[in-house]
Amino acid sequence: QVRLVESGGGLVQTGDSLRLSCAPSGRILHTKWMGWYRQAPGKQREYVAHITTGGSANYADSVKGRFTVSGDNANNTVYLQMNNLQPEDTAVYYCNIHIAYLGDDHDYWGQGTQVTVSS
């Protein structure tokens, strides 16, 4: 069973930057997009950003202009550069890889990495 392994979370201050990385433990085929979600305490998991294998990136309004998602298609590795972090960005961040082949879809998820932004 392939797992997604995340790294790069931590405790930072308001205005600081962090870079999250996510790579699979094994081979993944038929990737359509790679991205990130987050879940703050007491809240539902929410979409952050994703990038398609064609290079098209999309962002939640709350992170536009501050976060940048990028990917390495050859290695199914996805990154999230987070600048000007705010306390409301505090959450567990989960990476996601979506595959599709012959009408079937599947999502891989990471175990989550904690990002804490102090004010």
Side-chain angles (χ1 to χ4, degrees):
Q1 181 75 16
V2 175
R3 297 180 298 111
L4 301 186
V5 181
E6 296 142 338
S7 60
L11 172 63
V12 297
Q13 295 184 333
T14 298
D16 285 351
S17 298
L18 278 175
R19 187 178 190 239
L20 305 182
S21 301
C22 172
S25 61
R27 190 178 184 190
I28 293 179
L29 301 175
H30 311 299
T31 299
K32 296 303 180 185
W33 63 76
M34 303 181 287
W36 296 88
Y37 288 71
R38 67 186 182 186
Q39 187 167 17
K43 295 186 177 181
Q44 291 188 329
R45 188 175 298 190
E46 65 176 7
Y47 168 82
V48 176
H50 82 281
I51 185 166
T52 68
T53 51
S56 177
N58 289 276
Y59 300 89
D61 288 343
S62 58
V63 306
K64 277 181 183 175
R66 301 187 299 121
F67 291 11
T68 302
V69 62
S70 59
D72 175 354
N73 291 336
N75 296 302
N76 278 304
T77 301
V78 60
Y79 306 95
L80 187 66
Q81 177 66 43
M82 304 184 292
N83 297 331
N84 190 22
L85 283 161
Q86 301 297 311
E88 52 266 34
D89 296 317
T90 295
V92 177
Y93 284 71
Y94 298 90
C95 67
N96 164 252
I97 292 180
H98 181 83
I99 68 171
Y101 182 67
L102 297 180
D104 289 331
D105 296 81
H106 179 73
D107 284 286
Y108 292 92
W109 292 94
Q111 81 287 352
T113 185
Q114 178 71 46
V115 172
T116 302
V117 185
S118 64
S119 56

